């Protein structure tokens, strides 16, 4: 004699099948045009930094309005105005260079791994102070389609002075 199939036993597999996640949408590709836009934005920011050191213009060119800089040995700096103010506290820089070693991304996010070199103006009769190190930037596509840094972290290759 056949047993009737219980209604709850029939509903559970059907309900579970309905809970399956839909296939993930594929993220839009990161194109050579996107990579070129990041390179160009960096070039424009460096031009500002090396010519006028107008840190407000630099941050508006390079950083998203809500960007965060994760500096070594201190708390994070949030927003273009705060980043510009922080940059203005440094001695005059006479040479600022970035080498973008790798630029990769997917969709509206990209990351850059690179190296930096900074030279600061020297007091009369002294050698200029230099710093070099590495950085990682996370870039976000902006509403206008351009790219700007959302998060920036860096650290120096120069050892801390011995006490």
């Amino acid at each position: 004699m056949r047993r009737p199939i219980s209604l709850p036993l029939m509903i559970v597999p059907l309900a579970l099948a309905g809970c399956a996640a839909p296939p993930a949408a594929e993220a839009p590709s990161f194109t050579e045009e996107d990579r070129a836009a990041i390179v160009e934005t960096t070039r424009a920011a460096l031009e500002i930094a090396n010519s006028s050191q107008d840190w407000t213009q630099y941050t508006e060119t390079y950083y998203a309005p809500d960007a965060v800089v994760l500096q070594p040995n201190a708390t994070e700096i949030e927003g273009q105005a705060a980043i510009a103010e922080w940059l203005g506290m440094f001695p005059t820089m006479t040479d600022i260079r970035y080498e973008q070693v790798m630029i990769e991304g997917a969709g509206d996010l990209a990351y850059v791994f690179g190296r930096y070199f900074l030279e600061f103006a020297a007091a009369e009769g002294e050698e200029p102070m230099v710093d070099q190190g590495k950085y990682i930037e996370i870039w976000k596509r902006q509403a206008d389609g351009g790219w700007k840094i959302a998060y920036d972290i860096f650290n120096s290759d120069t050892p801390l002075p011995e006490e």
Side-chain angles (χ1 to χ4, degrees), residues 116-120 129-133 154-158:
Y116 70 86
F117 175 84
L118 305 172
E119 182 178 274
F120 298 89
M129 184 176 82
V130 298
D131 184 32
Q132 59 188 33
F154 66 95
N155 54 66
S156 176
D157 292 341
T158 305

Side-chain angles (χ1 to χ4, degrees), residues 2-150:
R2 287 182 64 186
R3 285 184 98 151
I5 297 176
S6 156
L7 185 59
L9 289 177
M10 289 175 44
I11 293 175
V12 169
L14 291 173
L16 290 175
C19 291
E26 195 169 310
S29 63
F30 182 74
T31 66
E32 285 304 314
E33 289 80 15
D34 294 327
R35 185 175 279 106
I38 289 171
V39 168
E40 174 55 26
T41 299
T42 302
R43 186 207 60 74
L46 281 171
E47 185 175 307
I48 295 163
N50 280 303
S51 63
S52 67
Q53 296 195 10
D54 179 335
W55 299 121
T56 298
Q57 184 182 13
Y58 173 85
T59 56
E60 289 173 356
T61 299
Y62 203 39
Y63 289 98
D66 57 349
V68 177
V69 172
L70 305 167
Q71 61 178 323
N73 306 312
T75 60
E76 65 272 7
I77 304 160
E78 297 183 41
Q80 289 174 338
I83 296 168
E85 182 180 340
W86 171 71
L87 288 167
M89 295 185 324
F90 284 92
T92 301
M93 294 181 225
T94 56
D95 188 10
I96 304 167
R97 287 181 263 154
Y98 303 152
E99 174 194 1
Q100 295 170 315
V101 176
M102 179 179 17
I103 304 172
E104 297 293 336
D108 292 337
L109 291 174
Y111 63 90
V112 175
F113 163 70
R115 302 187 194 295
Y116 70 86
F117 175 84
L118 305 172
E119 182 178 274
F120 298 89
E124 191 171 324
E126 293 185 16
E127 291 292 313
M129 184 176 82
V130 298
D131 184 32
Q132 59 188 33
K134 58 266 179 209
Y135 63 88
I136 292 180
E137 301 163 334
I138 298 173
W139 291 65
K140 285 178 74 175
R141 188 185 318 269
Q142 302 300 292
D144 67 1
W147 288 87
K148 292 192 178 183
I149 296 173

